[in-house]
Amino acid sequence: MKKKMKRAIVMMLILILSITVLPEQKREVQAAEQKKVMTVTIKDSYKTTTAAIYASPYSVGYYDFEMEKESFSIMKKAATDQIQVQVSIDDPSLIVADSLQYDASIALNGTNSNCESISFRYQGEDGVVRNDSVSYWIYPFEANFSIDNLVVSTSSKGFHPSKGNYLPIRSMITSSYGTGSAVLKVRVLNSKGKYVFQKKYSVGTGRGYLDYRWNGKASKNNEAGVKSGSYVKAGTYRIYLILEYEGNGYKKTVTKAKKFKVSKKAPSGTSGIAKASSVPVLTGNPNVDYMAEQMIKSAGVRSSMSADQKVKKIYHYMTTHFKHVHYSYGSKYKVYYNTTKLKSKITAYQKKTDASMAKGKLVYSFYGYYSEWNMARRIGVCNDHAMIFKILCNHVGIDAGTCSGYYKNRNGTLAGHAWNYAVVNGKTYYYDVDIEIQNYKKGQGDYYWYKKTKSQAKKTHQFY
C-alpha cells in the first residue's frame, strides 16, 4: 500500500514539472528561432509586398539568417519596369546599420526568375562583427492588357433583331501575363446600363481577334430581366467589352464600349446583313497585307463596287494570275513581290493600316501568316489558294472563309480538298478557285466553280 502511494506522489510531481517547466522551455526556443532583424519591402507595378528576415543562433557568436518567404511574385506593366526594393532594420543591436548593400531597383526580363541578395554585417554575441548575406528569388510575370479597338457593323438605320440577321462585333485583344487567368466578357447593355446579353471567353496571352455575331436575343439570367431567347426591344444599346484578369493577388480590368441602335425600321433578315457596313479585315502581317493590297488593285476592285462585283474580280484575278504548283525542294520559282526590296513601302503601308486599326476602321485577324511565301510567287495548291482567296475577300470587307472536305472526281474517287465560302448580299455562296485555276480555258467556262449554292456545291464537293 505504501509503495502505491509513493508511486502516485512521484507521478504527480512529474505532471507538475511538465506543466510548469516545458512551456517555458518551448517559449525560449521559439524566441531564439524567431528573432526578427530586417524587413524587405518590394514594390512592383501594382502592389507592395513584404517579407521578414529572422536570425537564430546556432553556435557562439554565429547566426543563421532566413527569410520569411523564399520568393516574391512580381507583376509588371512592361518589360522595362523597374521594381523598387527597400530594407528596414528591426534589430539595430544585431545588424550594423551602415553596412547594408542591396540594389534599390531590379530590372526583370520577361518571365525569367532573378536571384537577388542583401549583403550586411552583423554584431555577434561575442562582440565580433561578421559579414553575411541573404538571397531571395523573384519570379516575374508581365501584366499587359488592352482592347485595341471595337467595331460594330450596322446599317445606316441601325440593327433589326430578326431571323437570319446578326450584328457583327469585332475587336482586337492584347494580353500578356504569367500565371492566373483572364476572361473577356461581351455584353450588350440597355439604356439603363443593365446587360441583356453576355458571352464569356477565356483569354490566353498574345494578340487575339474577336469575331462574334449576335443574333439580337437575350441571354439567360440577364440583368435587365428580359426573357431568355427573345429579341430585345428597340432603343439605344451599348456593346461593352470587359477584359478581366485575376491571379497571385492581383486584379485588373480593361473595358471598351460602343453605342448602336436597335430599330424595327432597319432592314431585317439577310437584308440586314447585306446593308450592314463592311469592315476590312486584314491579317496583321504587313507583308501579306501589302501584297493583298497590290493584288486588289491589279484585279480592278473599287470601293464603289457591290460585294458580288468585288468577289468576282478577285476570283477572276486568281484564276488568271495564280498557278497550281506542288512545292518541290530546291526548285526556283519566280518572285513577283520581293518583300525585302519593298521594305520601305511595306513599312509606310503598315503605319497607315495601324492608324486605321486604332480608329476602328479595320481590324486584324492574325490569319494566313504562312501564305506569305505563296503570295509572293502566286503559286500553291488548294489550301494555299483557299486561304489567299479568303485574305483578299476579307481585305475588301467581304465575309469569307475556307471549307474543308473532299473533291468528287469523275471516276468516283475522293481527294482531300479545300475551297471557300463568301457572304454576298446576306447569302452564303461557295467558290473553288483552285479547281478553276487548274481547268482555266479547258472548256468548262471561266466561272464554272463560281458562286454556287450549298446544294450545287455538294454535287462536286463533300463537306466535312
Side-chain angles (χ1 to χ4, degrees):
M1 194 68 182
K2 291 181 179 180
K3 289 182 180 181
K4 289 183 179 181
M5 290 182 65
K6 287 181 179 180
R7 287 178 183 174
I9 292 170
V10 170
M11 291 299 294
M12 288 180 65
L13 288 172
I14 292 173
L15 182 60
I16 292 169
L17 288 173
S18 66
I19 294 173
T20 58
V21 177
L22 292 180
E24 188 65 31
Q25 291 177 340
K26 188 175 182 182
R27 284 197 294 269
E28 290 176 359
V29 173
Q30 288 178 338
E33 291 179 349
Q34 296 185 0
K35 189 174 184 179
K36 186 177 179 183
V37 292
M38 286 186 290
T39 301
V40 181
T41 302
I42 296 184
K43 184 177 181 181
D44 64 17
S45 302
Y46 293 94
K47 72 173 186 179
T48 301
T49 54
T50 61
I53 297 176
Y54 291 89
S56 58
Y58 66 94
S59 65
V60 177
Y62 289 87
Y63 283 88
D64 271 335
F65 294 90
E66 296 180 355
M67 289 195 71
E68 179 187 28
K69 300 176 182 178
E70 294 180 356
S71 64
F72 290 87
S73 292
I74 302 300
M75 180 174 278
K76 305 182 296 172
K77 289 183 179 178
T80 56
D81 284 359
Q82 296 291 316
I83 309 305
Q84 300 300 315
V85 181
Q86 290 182 339
V87 178
S88 62
I89 300 173
D90 298 291
D91 189 348
S93 65
L94 183 62
I95 300 298
V96 181
D98 60 358
S99 66
L100 284 175
Q101 293 181 359
Y102 64 93
D103 291 329
S105 62
I106 303 170
L108 304 174
N109 299 318
T111 57
N112 296 324
S113 58
N114 292 33
C115 182
E116 301 296 331
S117 63
I118 298 173
S119 300
F120 54 87
R121 291 185 295 161
Y122 70 95
Q123 184 80 38
E125 290 181 343
D126 54 5
V128 179
V129 176
R130 297 178 174 86
N131 296 319
D132 208 334
S133 64
V134 174
S135 298
Y136 57 95
W137 288 89
I138 294 180
Y139 298 94
F141 52 96
E142 296 286 354
N144 185 21
F145 303 91
S146 64
I147 300 174
D148 301 325
N149 62 9
L150 174 57
V151 181
V152 181
S153 302
T154 67
S155 71
S156 59
K157 294 182 179 179
F159 171 62
H160 187 169
S162 51
K163 185 178 180 180
N165 194 13
Y166 57 80
L167 180 69
I169 304 169
R170 298 183 176 96
S171 178
M172 280 177 52
I173 308 296
T174 300
S175 62
S176 177
Y177 59 93
T179 58
S181 60
V183 176
L184 177 68
K185 296 178 181 178
V186 181
R187 286 180 172 176
V188 179
L189 278 64
N190 61 18
S191 58
K192 295 181 180 180
K194 302 290 185 180
Y195 76 81
V196 295
F197 173 83
Q198 178 174 259
K199 177 77 174 179
K200 294 182 181 180
Y201 295 94
S202 295
V203 179
T205 60
R207 303 187 79 184
Y209 170 55
L210 171 69
D211 184 7
Y212 187 76
R213 301 171 184 186
W214 181 50
N215 59 9
K217 294 182 179 181
S219 58
K220 294 180 180 179
N221 303 318
N222 61 83
E223 288 182 337
V226 180
K227 184 180 178 182
S228 174
S230 63
Y231 289 117
V232 300
K233 296 180 180 179
T236 301
Y237 290 79
R238 281 186 298 160
I239 298 294
Y240 208 77
L241 299 186
I242 308 168
L243 183 59
E244 296 178 338
Y245 167 80
E246 184 172 353
N248 294 286
Y250 298 93
K251 289 184 179 181
K252 184 175 176 63
T253 302
V254 178
T255 62
K256 208 171 192 70
K258 195 149 194 173
K259 287 184 179 182
F260 71 99
K261 288 184 178 181
V262 171
S263 174
K264 292 184 178 180
K265 294 181 179 180
S268 61
T270 56
S271 296
I273 300 172
K275 296 294 183 180
S277 58
S278 61
V279 178
V281 180
L282 278 59
T283 67
N285 181 324
N287 290 344
V288 170
D289 292 332
Y290 177 82
M291 288 187 286
E293 181 76 9
Q294 304 312 306
M295 291 179 185
I296 294 298
K297 291 179 180 178
S298 298
V301 177
R302 298 188 301 273
S303 58
S304 59
M305 289 180 172
S306 66
D308 190 31
Q309 290 173 323
K310 290 177 181 178
V311 175
K312 192 170 185 178
K313 287 284 186 181
I314 291 170
Y315 187 92
H316 184 69
Y317 172 81
M318 288 195 66
T319 301
T320 56
H321 287 75
F322 278 73
K323 293 182 179 180
H324 181 91
V325 175
H326 287 272
Y327 172 76
S328 176
Y329 182 77
S331 300
K332 292 184 178 180
Y333 304 98
K334 183 177 179 179
V335 178
Y336 293 92
Y337 300 99
N338 189 322
T339 55
T340 302
K341 292 182 178 179
L342 293 167
K343 187 176 180 180
S344 59
K345 291 185 178 181
I346 293 173
T347 300
Y349 176 77
Q350 183 182 11
K351 289 181 179 179
K352 179 181 176 181
T353 57
D354 284 348
S356 296
M357 181 276 295
K359 294 178 181 178
K361 294 182 179 180
L362 59 86
V363 291
Y364 293 143
S365 68
F366 312 108
Y367 178 94
Y369 270 41
Y370 63 84
S371 299
E372 182 176 336
W373 190 90
N374 299 90
M375 289 183 74
R377 292 158 181 80
R378 298 201 310 229
I379 62 172
V381 292
C382 61
N383 290 325
D384 307 307
H385 293 149
M387 185 172 290
I388 294 169
F389 182 81
K390 167 185 165 60
I391 290 171
L392 297 182
C393 287
N394 291 167
H395 198 95
V396 295
I398 303 297
D399 183 6
T402 59
C403 303
S404 298
Y406 297 93
Y407 182 76
K408 300 177 183 178
N409 294 313
R410 292 181 180 178
N411 61 5
T413 61
L414 297 175
H417 194 51
W419 60 100
N420 295 94
Y421 73 83
V423 180
V424 177
N425 296 327
K427 296 181 180 180
T428 302
Y429 296 97
Y430 298 88
Y431 306 80
D432 196 332
V433 69
D434 181 71
I435 295 295
E436 195 76 72
I437 289 169
Q438 296 184 62
N439 293 277
Y440 179 61
K441 289 187 176 179
K442 290 184 179 180
Q444 296 92 343
D446 295 346
Y447 297 97
Y448 186 77
W449 281 274
Y450 173 80
K451 198 180 180 181
K452 302 294 184 181
T453 62
K454 188 69 173 284
S455 59
Q456 290 173 329
K458 283 185 176 180
K459 292 179 181 180
T460 52
H461 296 70
Q462 182 174 312
F463 290 73
Y464 275 150

